[in-house]
Amino acid sequence: MNSSPGGLDRRRFLRNSGIAALAIFGGGALAACTSAVNQSRGGGDDNAQPVRGGTLKYGVLADLVPANILTNTGTTPYVVGLVFETLVRYPHDKLEPQPLLAEKWTLAPDGQSITLDLRKDVKFHSGRAFTSKDVEFSLRTYADPKWSAQLKSTAAAITGYDATDPNRIKLTFAQPLGNIFDLLDTAPILDSESIDQLATGDKIVGTGPFKFVQRIPNQQLVFEKNADYRVPERPYLDRVEFSIISDNQAQLNALKSGQIHFADGVTYRDNENLAKSDGFRVISYEGAELQVYVGANVQNPALADPKLRRAIAYAIDRDRVIAEVFRGSGYATNLPWPKSSPAFDDARNTRFKRDLTKAKQALAGAPTPPKLPLAYTAGYATHEATAQIVQANLAEIGIETELVPTENATFVKQLIGAQFPGLWITDHSWAQFVPSTLTVSAYPFNARKNASHYESPDYVTAADNAWKLSQATGPDAQRAYQALSDQLLDGLFLIEIGVRLAQGSTTRTLHNVGWTKRRELNLTETFLS
């Protein structure tokens, strides 16, 4: 699977990225707007014919945190995928943007501006027409630090907006932005008239296939079909109901008993069994890889010593985590990049293979560290199981840890606010996008402000050099990504464990579930039989 432009020459990459004008939707609107997700559907292994109507019941581990609506945390991607849309959409297997709310675009030869032509048939759920002013408002809002959006630094690098034509907008940049299409694929188009109620969760208004109806905190989220959606006769479903079921076993029981059609929290081991049964199927979110890692607060006196962090990197049994916790649905890594990334480097990626001798050598002569807290998200079985393996691994070299299960909303707050006192285990995303996005955007990796309190002028320089590339591939890009990888391996403020594919579990009555590279739900074509 090739989910990056790493194998493309410059001409082909630019052509496919839309520097040449892309095809306008026109009469083939339905085919065009769904082409980017045709390959992203689950449950398409039968010949079921679409059925209109019905309520999809979805079990999710965590409630929506409305203030985090512009992040990629918890349940947010599912909600965003139903309610909102973006300007472009990446397919799963490559970084070649396809039209969505933007019909076509032209990137300036110097890479410092882009002009986008917008669809004319789009309305917000309130009935108001979508225009270029909404693009400007959405990107400016996305850049506002109060929303904690992960790509806010890229949005903030947009220095000029020309929205005089309601159907066209020109964006001017402070510098070439090698990841501009990552931003346009990620930033949802927001409704300026209800923005004050978005952060509270009272109103969530977009242009997507479903309208937000109701939220009962820690219990339920309800969405109804957008009858005025721009795609004719879509969506098929009348209603989607999220039930917050914060226990993995409870989700499995609800799925088996028919209380829900779809679950986001069934363990990999239980999914192995479900996949063998006639009444269920398991979806692997290909193209939307996650990476599980150990984070370290380098302001903790013990973790400030890079020798201790190297010892941890050598001690972790990555292969065991992938085999036992994720049942082989992934592979061990030392760096964040999936194999499809132009930054993937096999030699660098195996620097810290499990080696207890090297781990103990790294600690030789150093005082025994105090017991370190090791936080993980409570209710997430994979995080708990990973934490238990890491705890046992570290005990083998004399590092004691105390497991700290942490409620999801609190865990996210600590991650965004850099508040973990010691070690933590969770997943990160964004490595499946243009590599620079990870190191200028993601909370754990941001070179200027990250969850580890790690500071390094060399790391900032490497991150900026990769970000300011005029193209995401080629010899210059390769050198920039290698320098970035070396900084990550030297700093070890994050210790990668491995790449994994997230999974969803469904009954066989549910068909054509779609998702984006951020695992946002795309239920435009989904139906129940």
Side-chain angles (χ1 to χ4, degrees), residues 22-23 62 103 118 148 235 275 296 310 321 366-367 394 404 413 458 480 485 510:
L22 296 184
E103 293 182 316
L118 308 176
S148 299
R310 282 198 295 275
V321 172
L394 299 188
V404 184
K413 181 180 179 181
D458 289 341
S485 292
L510 184 63

Side-chain angles (χ1 to χ4, degrees), residues 249-437:
Q249 186 62 45
Q251 279 204 19
L252 177 63
N253 293 340
L255 187 69
K256 285 184 171 181
S257 64
Q259 297 175 59
I260 59 175
H261 307 100
F262 193 6
D264 79 339
V266 176
T267 67
Y268 283 78
R269 187 179 296 274
D270 285 330
N271 275 337
E272 274 190 317
N273 295 325
L274 281 178
K276 298 172 186 176
S277 60
D278 292 336
F280 305 93
R281 58 167 60 91
V282 176
I283 301 168
S284 289
Y285 295 114
E286 295 185 5
E289 295 92 344
L290 293 172
Q291 288 78 12
V292 60
Y293 72 96
V294 177
N297 178 359
V298 301
Q299 287 188 339
N300 181 299
L303 294 170
D305 188 344
K307 295 192 295 294
L308 179 63
R309 304 200 297 272
R310 282 198 295 275
I312 294 172
Y314 278 122
I316 294 175
D317 192 341
R318 296 169 176 81
D319 291 331
R320 181 185 172 192
V321 172
I322 297 300
E324 293 186 9
V325 179
F326 302 110
R327 312 306 296 169
S329 183
Y331 46 90
T333 59
N334 285 181
L335 286 162
W337 325 115
K339 291 179 179 178
S340 56
S341 170
F344 183 81
D345 183 326
D346 192 54
R348 285 175 170 81
N349 198 54
T350 54
R351 182 177 298 180
F352 293 103
K353 289 185 177 179
R354 176 168 161 84
D355 190 324
L356 295 183
T357 299
K358 288 184 177 180
K360 292 175 181 178
Q361 288 174 347
L363 292 175
T368 301
K371 182 180 286 188
L372 295 168
L374 177 57
Y376 64 90
T377 308
Y380 283 53
T382 55
H383 292 173
E384 180 178 9
T386 301
Q388 290 170 348
I389 292 174
V390 170
Q391 182 184 48
N393 293 159
L394 299 188
E396 292 180 85
I397 60 170
I399 298 176
E400 289 189 77
T401 58
E402 178 183 0
L403 299 185
V404 184
T406 306
E407 187 269 331
N408 178 71
T410 301
F411 191 97
V412 172
K413 181 180 179 181
Q414 290 180 316
L415 179 69
I416 295 174
Q419 297 169 359
F420 292 111
L423 300 170
W424 71 91
I425 286 175
T426 190
D427 300 306
H428 70 78
S429 187
W430 301 107
Q432 72 274 32
F433 287 84
V434 171
S436 61
T437 286

